C-alpha cells in the first residue's frame, strides 16, 4: 500500500487514501446521525402493531406536539417481556397489541394509570377502569386465505376451526406463536373456551401443529406469509389480511362458525417512563379522534374504539359469528395453557 | 507438539474435562445454580412451569430433548455436507485448471462477508412456498424447516471449511500424488490417500462448521418454521418469555458445545503449520468422472452463491414481489425509516473494528512471544464462546444491574443508551478480538526469522521492528481482518439481537424482523446495503499481490523462542 518518494520517505498508496477517506466519511456520517438521535430527548415507544402504522402514529404525534418519538416494533409478548425490566429498558409508552397482555402488565404493576383526556369517547369495555390502559382499535380473529392456492389444493376456504386440520393443508398453514405473540395467545384462549378446557385445547393445537409450516413471532406475520404465497391459510386478526389484499393476490377473510376471539388494541404509559408527561400526551393523542384516524391516512385499515371515527366495514364481524372470548377476561387462565403449549406442543 | 512447556495434550484434556464437568453440573443443577443471586425473574408463563422443569437440564431437555435433537441433526447434516463439498471444492481449486477459477474461488469465500440471512432470503425467494423454482418447476417448497436450514447453513458456513481444507491440501506435497499417479495408482486410491493425509483438516473443518451452525441465529429465525434449535429457543426465552433461566440454560448448552468443539479442533489440529514448501502443482483440466464431480461441486457452490446474490439484488429493487423496479426499499434503508438503524450499525461496526484491530495486533504479538501455549488456548476458548451468548451476558448486565458504567461515554444521551452502546461495542469487540489475535499470532510465527534477528543484532528496538518489519509483513492479515471484523460487527445478528432498543435500532435486527413478517423486499434492500458496505471495505482493504519472501531457514521463531 505504500511507495517511497525520492527522499526515501514513505507515501501512502491511492487505495490507502481512498480507504481512509471512505472510513472517515462513514464515521462522520454515522457518528453525526447517532449523536443527533441521542442528543435530543425523545419519547420511547414500544409498538406492537404494523410497522407503517407505528411510524404513522409517531410522525403524526410529533407533527402535532413537536415531541420527537423513537419507536421499536416488537411482538406484544416481547414488548411485555421488555416492560418487565422496568427502568433498565427505558420505555415510555406501549402502543398496540391485545389488551389482555396489558391487563397482565397492569396486574404486575408495569403500567402507570392515566385518565385520558377524552376517555368518555371510548366504551367502558374497551378501557381499564383504573386507567392503566385504553383501547384504541379493535380486531377480530379470523382466517386469511389465498383463494387460488386453496382451489389448487381442492380445499374450500375454512369456516370452522376444524377445517384447519384438513390433511390437505399440511404445511400450508401459518399461525402466530402463542409464546411470543398476543394474537397467538388470543387463539389459544379461543380454543380453551370453545373446547371447554385446557386439555382438549392442547389436543387440538397438537393436531393443528401437523399442518403448521411456521409459527411466527408476530401476530401480523401470518397474513404476510399468505400474501407472499408461502402458505394458503393464516390465523390472524383480519385487519392485517385486508391490508395486504391486492389485485395481484386476492385474499379472502373468513370466520369460524363456532365463534372466534377479538382484540382490543391498547395503549398505556409505562410505570418506569422517564417522560411521564410526554407519555400522557401520547396516550391522549392515541385515544383521540386524530390518533385513531392515522390508520386510514397510512392505508392500514382498522376498527376504531371511538364511535365518531369511520369503521372499515370489511373488518366488522359478521352477525352470525359470535365472540367466544372477550379480550381481557381470560388472560391469567390462558397463560397456563400457553406455558403448556410451549412445553408440550412446540418445545 | 512438545510437553516441555506445560504439556499440550494433558492441559487440553484437563481443560476439556473441566469444561465438560462445568457443563454437566450447570445442566443438572437446579435453576438456582444458574441464578445464585436470584436475579432471574420467574414471571410470565414461567409462573406456571413445574419446579422440575425449571431445572437447567429440564429446560434444555424440554419436550423430550427435541430442541437438542433438532440442533444435533442440523449440525451433523450441515457438518457432513459442508465438509464434503468444501473438500471437493478445495481439491478442485488446487488441482484443476478451469476458466473462471479465480471467480469461483472468490464466490466460494463470499458468504464470509454477507449478512447472515442473505442466503436464507434467497432460498426463501427461490424455494419457499411461492419461490421461483417452486412455482416454475412444480417442486415442493424446501426452504422451511430442516432442509432449508441445512442448505442455508451449508452455504453460510462453506468458507470456513473451504479455507481450512485449502490450507490442508496446500500442505500436502503434490509430488507424492503425481509420482503415484505416474506409477499407475488409480484415482480412488489417490483420493483415499489424500483423505488419510487430510484427516485432521477434515475433522477441524467439520467441527468449525458444527460450531458455526449451532450458534447461527439468523437463518433459524427466517427459515426455521417449527424446527426450533437451541439458538432460537434461547432468543425466544430471553425476548418473549422473560425466562432468563431458560435462556441461561440454553446459553450454557450452546457455549459448552462450542467450547468442546473448539477443544477438539485444537486437539486435532495442534498449532498452525505454515506452508513451507511451495512445490508447483501441475493443474490440469478435469479428466474422469471423479474429477468432473469435484469440479461440479465447486461450480455448484459458486453458482449457488452467485444466484443468491442475484436474487437478493432483484428483491431489493422489488422485482421478486412484482412491486418494482423501484428504489423505494433501498431509499428506505439509506434515507428513510431504517436510516438510523443503518447509522447505528455502521458506527458500532467502525468502533468495534477500530478497537479490536489494534488490540488484536497487540495481543497477537504477545501470544506469539509467549513461552507457554496456555495464553493462546485461553484466547482460543474465548473465541469459541458464541457471540449470541456474549450478547445474552451483555443483556443480563444491561437489564439486571444498576451500575452506570455509561458515565464513561460522552454526556447527552440517557444513561441507559450510553450503557447500551458501551455493552454493544464491548460485545462486538469480544466477538472479534480472539480471532484477530490468534490470526496475527499465527502470521507472526510464520515470518522468516532472518530479518528480525538481523535487526535485533543491529540494535533495533521492538517498536522499530514492529514499525519496519512486522506491520508491513502483516499487511495482508490486517486487511483481511479489517474486512472480516467489520463484516462481523456491522452485519451479524447474534451478538446484537438482544441489545437493540427504540433509540438504538440495529439493521441486522430490522432485517430479520422484515424477513419474518413477509417484507421480503425491505429485507433484501437491507441485506444488499450491508453487503455492499462490507464489500467496499473488503475491496479497499484487500492485500495487493503477494511479495515473495524466503522460506524459513531456521527452527527458531522471530521471538527467539524454541518451540
Amino acid at each position: 500500500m505504500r511507495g517511497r518518494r525520492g527522499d526515501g520517505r514513505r507515501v501512502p498508496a491511492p487505495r490507502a487514501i481512498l480507504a481512509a477517506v471512505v472510513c472517515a466519511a462513514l464515521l462522520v456520517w454515522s457518528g453525526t446521525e447517532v449523536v443527533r438521535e441521542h442528543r435530543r430527548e425523545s419519547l420511547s415507544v414500544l409498538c406492537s402493531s404494523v410497522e407503517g402504522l407505528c411510524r404513522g402514529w409517531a410522525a403524526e404525534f410529533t407533527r402535532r406536539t413537536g415531541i420527537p418519538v423513537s419507536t421499536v416494533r416488537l411482538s406484544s409478548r416481547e414488548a411485555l417481556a421488555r416492560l418487565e425490566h422496568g427502568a433498565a429498558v427505558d420505555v415510555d409508552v406501549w402502543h398496540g397489541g391485545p389488551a389482555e397482555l396489558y391487563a397482565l402488565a397492569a396486574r404486575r404493576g408495569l403500567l402507570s394509570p392515566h385518565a385520558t383526556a377524552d376517555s368518555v369517547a371510548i366504551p367502558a369495555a374497551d378501557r381499564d377502569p383504573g386507567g392503566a390502559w385504553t383501547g384504541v382499535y379493535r380486531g377480530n380473529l379470523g382466517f386469511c386465505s389465498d383463494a387460488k392456492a386453496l382451489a389448487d389444493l381442492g380445499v374450500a376456504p375454512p369456516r370452522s376451526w376444524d377445517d384447519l386440520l384438513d390433511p390437505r393443508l399440511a404445511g400450508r398453514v401459518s399461525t402466530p406463536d402463542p409464546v411470543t405473540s398476543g394474537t397467538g395467545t388470543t387463539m389459544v384462549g379461543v380454543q380453551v373456551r370453545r373446547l371447554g378446557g385446557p386439555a382438549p385445547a392442547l389436543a387440538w393445537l397438537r393436531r393443528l401443529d401437523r399442518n403448521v409450516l411456521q409459527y411466527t413471532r408476530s401476530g401480523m406475520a401470518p397474513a404476510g406469509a399468505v400474501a407472499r404465497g408461502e402458505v394458503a391459510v393464516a390465523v390472524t386478526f383480519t385487519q392485517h389480511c385486508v391490508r395486504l389484499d391486492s389485485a395481484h393476490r386476492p385474499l379472502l377473510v373468513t370466520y369460524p362458525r363456532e365463534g372466534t376471539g377479538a382484540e382490543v388494541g391498547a395503549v398505556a404509559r409505562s410505570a418506569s417512563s422517564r417522560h411521564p408527561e410526554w407519555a400522557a400526551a401520547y396516550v391522549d393523542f392515541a385515544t383521540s379522534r386524530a390518533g385513531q384516524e392515522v390508520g386510514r391516512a397510512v392505508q392500514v385499515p382498522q376498527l376504531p374504539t371511538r364511535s365518531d371515527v369511520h369503521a372499515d366495514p370489511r373488518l366488522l364481524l359478521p352477525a352470525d359469528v359470535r365472540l367466544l372470548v372477550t379480550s381481557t377476561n381470560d388472560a391469567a387462565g390462558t397463560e397456563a395453557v400457553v406455558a403448556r403449549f410451549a412445553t408440550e406442543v412446540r418445545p | 507438539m512438545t510437553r516441555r512447556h506445560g504439556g499440550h495434550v494433558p492441559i487440553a484434556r484437563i481443560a476439556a474435562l473441566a469444561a465438560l464437568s462445568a457443563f454437566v453440573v450447570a445442566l443438572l443443577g437446579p435453576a438456582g445454580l444458574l441464578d445464585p443471586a436470584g436475579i432471574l425473574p420467574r414471571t410470565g408463563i414461567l409462573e406456571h412451569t413445574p419446579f422440575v422443569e425449571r431445572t437447567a437440564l429440564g429446560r434444555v431437555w424440554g419436550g423430550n430433548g427435541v430442541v437438542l435433537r433438532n440442533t444435533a441433526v442440523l449440525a451433523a447434516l450441515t457438518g457432513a455436507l459442508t465438509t464434503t463439498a468444501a473438500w471437493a471444492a478445495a481439491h478442485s481449486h488446487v488441482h484443476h485448471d478451469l476458466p473462471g477459477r479465480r471467480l469461483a474461488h472468490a464466490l466460494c469465500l463470499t458468504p464470509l462477508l454477507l449478512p447472515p440471512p442473505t442466503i436464507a432470503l434467497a432460498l426463501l425467494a427461490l424455494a419457499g412456498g411461492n419461490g421461483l423454482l417452486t412455482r416454475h418447476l412444480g417442486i415442493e417448497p424446501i426452504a422451511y424447516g430442516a432442509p432449508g436450514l441445512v442448505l442455508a447453513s451449508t452455504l453460510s458456513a462453506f468458507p470456513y471449511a473451504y479455507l481450512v481444507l485449502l490450507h490442508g491440501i496446500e500442505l500436502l506435497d503434490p509430488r507424492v500424488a503425481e509420482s503415484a499417479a505416474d506409477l499407475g495408482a488409480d484415482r480412488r486410491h489417490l483420493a483415499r490417500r489424500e483423505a488419510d493425509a487430510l484427516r485432521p483438516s477434515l475433522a477441524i473443518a467439520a467441527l468449525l462448521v458444527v460450531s458455526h451452525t449451532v450458534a447461527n441465529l439468523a437463518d433459524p429465525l427466517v427459515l426455521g418454521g417449527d424446527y426450533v434449535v437451541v439458538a432460537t429457543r434461547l432468543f425466544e426465552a430471553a425476548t418473549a418469555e422473560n425466562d432468563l433461566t431458560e435462556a441461561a440454560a440454553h446459553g450454557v448448552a450452546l457455549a459448552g458445545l462450542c467450547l468442546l468443539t473448539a477443544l477438539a479442533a485444537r486437539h486435532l489440529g495442534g498449532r498452525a503449520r505454515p506452508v513451507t514448501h511451495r512445490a508447483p502443482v501441475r493443474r490440469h483440466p478435469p479428466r474422469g468422472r471423479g474429477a468432473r464431480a469435484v469440479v461440479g461441486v465447486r461450480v455448484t457452490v459458486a453458482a449457488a452463491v452467485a444466484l443468491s446474490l442475484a436474487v437478493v439484488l432483484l428483491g431489493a429493487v422489488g422485482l421478486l414481489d412484482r412491486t418494482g423496479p423501484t428504489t423505494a426499499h433501498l431509499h428506505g434503508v439509506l434515507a428513510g425509516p431504517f436510516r438510523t438503524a443503518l447509522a447505528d450499525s455502521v458506527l458500532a461496526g467502525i468502533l468495534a473494528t477500530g478497537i479490536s484491530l489494534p488490540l488484536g495486533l497487540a495481543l497477537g504479538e504477545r501470544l506469539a512471544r509467549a513461552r507457554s501455549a496456555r495464553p493462546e488456548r485461553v484466547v482460543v476458548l474465548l473465541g469459541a464462546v458464541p457471540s449470541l451468548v456474549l450478547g445474552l451476558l451483555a443483556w443480563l448486565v444491561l437489564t439486571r444491574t444498576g451500575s452506570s458504567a455509561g458515565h464513561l461515554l460522552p454526556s447527552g444521551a440517557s444513561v441507559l443508551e450510553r450503557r447500551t452502546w458501551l455493552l454493544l461495542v464491548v460485545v462486538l469487540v469480544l466477538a472479534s478480538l480472539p480471532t484477530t489475535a490468534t490470526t496475527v499470532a499465527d502470521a507472526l510465527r510464520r515470518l522468516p526469522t532472518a530479518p528480525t534477528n538481523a535487526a535485533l543484532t543491529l540494535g533495533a528496538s521492538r517498536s522499530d521492528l514492529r514499525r519496519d518489519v512486522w506491520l508491513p509483513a502483516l499487511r495482508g492479515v490486517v486487511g483481511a481482518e479489517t474486512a472480516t471484523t467489520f463484516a462481523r460487527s456491522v452485519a451479524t445478528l447474534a451478538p446484537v439481537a438482544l441489545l437493540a432498543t427504540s433509540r438504538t435500532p440495529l439493521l441486522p435486527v430490522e432485517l430479520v424482523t422484515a424477513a419474518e413478517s413477509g417484507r421480503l423486499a425491505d429485507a433484501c434492500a437491507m441485506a444488499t446495503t450491508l453487503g455492499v458496505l462490507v464489500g467496499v471495505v473488503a475491496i479497499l482493504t484487500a492485500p495487493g499481490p503477494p511479495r515473495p519472501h524466503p522460506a524459513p531457514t531456521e527452527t527458531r521463531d522471530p521471538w527467539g523462542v524454541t518451540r
Side-chain angles (χ1 to χ4, degrees):
Chain A
M1 277 195 197
R2 284 179 172 179
R4 283 182 189 273
R5 289 197 317 210
D7 58 3
R9 288 171 63 187
R10 290 177 177 179
V11 288
R15 201 166 61 163
I17 297 173
L18 185 60
V21 168
V22 168
C23 184
L26 282 174
L27 186 62
V28 168
W29 170 75
S30 59
T32 310
E33 284 282 322
V34 173
V35 168
R36 196 181 59 195
E37 185 66 26
H38 290 289
R39 280 267 174 201
R40 59 172 194 179
E41 281 290 315
S42 62
L43 189 74
S44 173
V45 177
L46 290 185
C47 187
S48 301
S49 188
V50 183
E51 184 96 35
L53 187 54
C54 295
R55 287 201 296 270
W57 280 327
E60 182 62 15
F61 175 70
T62 302
R63 194 181 70 76
R64 285 170 175 269
T65 62
I67 300 170
V69 176
S70 306
T71 302
V72 63
R73 212 216 80 78
L74 291 174
S75 72
S76 41
R77 277 194 172 275
E78 287 176 327
L80 176 61
R82 194 168 284 201
L83 272 179
E84 281 173 349
H85 295 300
V89 288
D90 193 10
V91 175
D92 294 309
V93 173
W94 180 17
H95 193 177
E100 53 197 305
L101 296 184
Y102 284 73
L104 283 179
R107 235 181 39 182
R108 294 173 190 164
L110 305 175
L111 304 179
S112 166
H114 168 63
T116 54
D118 204 6
S119 61
V120 288
I122 312 284
D126 292 346
R127 56 187 155 87
D128 179 60
W133 54 268
T134 309
V136 289
Y137 64 86
R138 283 184 279 120
N140 297 309
L141 193 66
F143 306 132
C144 180
S145 305
D146 177 350
K148 184 176 173 304
L150 285 180
D152 290 345
L153 293 169
V155 179
R159 294 192 186 279
S160 158
W161 287 105
D162 288 344
D163 287 348
L164 297 181
L165 307 179
D166 189 327
R168 288 172 293 179
L169 287 177
R172 304 285 183 175
V173 178
S174 179
T175 76
D177 186 347
V179 176
T180 60
S181 153
T183 312
T185 306
T186 306
M187 181 182 78
V188 169
V190 168
Q191 305 317 314
V192 175
R193 178 60 69 94
R194 176 175 77 91
L195 298 166
L202 284 165
W204 184 86
L205 288 165
R206 210 171 285 122
R207 289 172 69 198
L208 177 68
D209 183 61
R210 293 179 204 140
N211 283 0
V212 174
L213 174 74
Q214 194 175 27
Y215 292 103
T216 62
R217 271 196 298 158
S218 151
M220 56 207 69
V226 178
R228 219 172 59 234
E230 291 295 323
V231 294
V233 186
V235 179
T236 186
F237 287 118
T238 53
Q239 65 264 32
H240 305 307
C241 189
V242 170
R243 174 174 59 91
L244 295 170
D245 185 23
S246 69
H248 163 57
R249 190 181 299 281
L251 302 182
L252 183 67
V253 171
T254 53
Y255 293 93
R257 57 178 167 265
E258 306 95 319
T260 189
E263 71 164 338
V264 174
V267 65
R269 184 169 63 165
S270 161
S272 58
S273 169
R274 284 199 305 124
H275 309 97
E277 279 143 31
W278 286 4
Y282 186 93
V283 171
D284 287 344
F285 160 75
T287 51
S288 71
R289 187 184 165 119
Q292 295 202 20
E293 281 179 337
V294 169
R296 200 152 56 137
V298 296
Q299 295 173 339
V300 178
Q302 283 198 304
L303 283 177
T305 51
R306 294 177 67 104
S307 55
D308 55 351
V309 176
H310 170 76
D312 191 323
R314 296 172 297 173
L315 305 181
L316 294 171
L317 195 65
D320 58 339
V321 178
R322 63 196 175 108
L323 278 182
L324 289 173
V325 183
T326 58
S327 183
T328 57
N329 58 359
D330 285 342
T334 306
E335 283 292 277
V337 187
V338 170
R340 288 182 61 187
F341 174 90
T343 54
E344 295 173 24
V345 180
R346 188 195 176 245
Chain B
M1 284 201 289
T2 169
R3 294 177 184 231
R4 197 163 42 155
H5 299 297
H8 182 94
V9 175
I11 289 264
R13 283 186 187 154
I14 290 165
L17 199 62
L20 185 66
S21 310
F23 180 45
V24 171
V25 167
L27 286 179
L28 286 173
L33 200 107
L34 287 171
D35 183 19
I39 57 172
L40 308 180
R42 281 161 180 71
T43 55
I45 62 173
L46 188 58
E47 287 172 350
H48 305 279
T49 310
F51 173 76
V52 175
E53 289 169 22
R54 287 211 301 265
T55 62
L57 181 63
R59 294 319 189 74
V60 177
W61 192 251
N64 295 324
V66 69
V67 174
L68 280 181
R69 197 168 58 233
N70 285 350
T71 311
V73 168
L74 175 65
L77 287 175
T78 307
L81 190 60
T82 311
T83 307
T84 310
W87 179 22
H91 178 92
S92 163
H93 180 74
V94 173
H95 291 286
H96 296 132
D97 207 9
L98 274 178
R101 182 174 159 273
R102 282 188 177 182
L103 177 65
H105 178 64
L107 285 169
C108 285
L109 293 176
T110 297
L112 269 183
L113 302 177
L114 294 177
T118 305
I119 306 282
L121 286 176
L123 196 61
L124 210 56
L126 289 170
N130 188 37
L132 295 172
L133 299 179
T134 318
R135 267 186 289 145
H136 294 298
L137 302 181
I139 57 172
E140 281 295 306
I142 53 163
Y144 289 101
L149 277 177
V150 170
L151 277 175
S153 303
T154 296
L155 282 182
S156 302
F158 186 84
Y160 300 100
Y162 178 65
L163 283 172
V164 168
L165 289 164
L166 207 54
H167 182 69
I169 291 173
E170 281 174 348
L171 279 173
L172 304 178
D173 190 339
R175 289 167 297 195
V176 175
E178 284 162 10
S179 305
D182 291 343
L183 291 171
D186 66 13
R187 290 178 192 282
R188 196 170 297 171
H189 181 77
L190 290 175
R192 270 203 302 273
R193 292 282 77 81
E194 185 175 290
D196 280 346
L198 279 179
R199 205 178 290 164
S201 299
L202 285 167
I204 292 168
L207 290 169
L208 263 179
V209 172
V210 164
S211 186
H212 180 271
T213 304
V214 298
N216 184 2
L217 175 66
D219 290 342
L221 279 182
V222 174
L223 298 177
D226 58 351
Y227 196 85
V228 184
V229 293
V230 171
T232 41
R233 190 70 207 103
L234 185 162
F235 182 68
E236 280 178 6
T239 56
E241 297 165 40
N242 214 8
D243 185 349
L244 302 191
T245 306
E246 177 137 357
H250 283 86
V252 169
L254 204 56
L257 193 57
C258 291
L259 286 172
L260 289 177
T261 305
L263 282 170
R266 186 85 186 153
H267 181 67
L268 286 167
R271 283 192 174 279
R273 290 169 294 167
V275 181
T276 51
H277 59 82
R278 285 276 187 188
V281 178
R282 277 185 297 168
R283 288 195 202 95
H284 47 79
R287 286 186 295 268
R289 269 188 307 182
R292 280 197 293 271
V294 294
V295 168
V297 169
R298 179 176 166 79
V299 170
T300 305
V301 171
V305 174
L307 184 63
S308 301
L309 294 175
V311 165
V312 170
L313 278 174
L314 289 177
V317 292
L319 288 174
L320 291 182
D321 55 8
R322 304 187 196 183
T323 58
T326 172
T327 56
H329 304 291
L330 286 167
H331 184 264
V333 179
L334 296 172
F338 304 110
R339 179 189 168 107
T340 309
L342 176 65
D344 284 338
S345 294
V346 168
L347 185 62
I350 291 175
L351 290 177
T353 309
I355 294 170
S356 66
L357 265 185
L359 281 181
L361 282 168
L363 184 58
E365 187 190 323
R366 291 192 74 88
L367 292 179
R369 287 168 59 183
R371 291 180 178 275
S372 159
R374 209 168 297 156
E376 184 159 359
R377 275 178 221 150
V378 173
V379 173
V380 166
L381 287 181
L382 181 62
V385 176
S387 54
L388 180 60
V389 174
L390 295 175
L392 178 67
L393 290 173
W395 190 65
L396 280 172
V397 171
L398 189 69
T399 55
R400 295 277 132 203
T401 63
S403 70
S404 59
H407 68 269
L408 298 171
L409 293 174
S411 62
S414 75
V415 169
L416 175 75
E417 288 305 313
R418 281 186 273 155
R419 290 178 64 209
T420 301
W421 268 95
L422 187 67
L423 287 166
L424 185 63
V425 174
V426 167
V427 165
L428 291 175
V429 167
L430 284 178
S432 290
L433 181 61
T435 312
T436 307
T438 48
T439 308
V440 167
D442 282 344
L444 283 174
R445 287 194 200 102
R446 288 179 202 183
L447 289 183
T449 54
T452 303
N453 289 342
L456 286 172
T457 309
L458 292 170
S461 65
R462 290 268 172 216
S463 59
D464 292 336
L465 277 176
R466 202 171 287 135
R467 187 187 62 235
D468 293 329
V469 181
W470 302 330
L471 283 179
L474 287 177
R475 202 190 302 147
V477 172
V478 171
E481 281 301 310
T482 304
T484 50
T485 304
F486 185 69
R488 264 196 300 267
S489 305
V490 81
T492 51
L493 174 73
V496 303
L498 296 167
L499 297 176
T501 69
S502 60
R503 293 196 178 89
T504 308
L506 296 163
L507 207 57
V509 180
E510 300 283 345
L511 197 170
V512 170
T513 305
E516 241 198 329
S517 57
R519 294 182 286 119
L520 208 56
D522 278 342
C524 287
M526 292 180 212
T528 301
T529 307
L530 287 173
V532 167
L533 201 57
V534 172
V536 166
V537 171
I539 289 168
L540 289 175
T541 55
R547 287 182 301 177
H549 53 68
T553 53
E554 303 172 31
T555 52
R556 286 167 65 83
D557 72 9
W559 318 105
V561 178
T562 305
R563 292 183 186 279

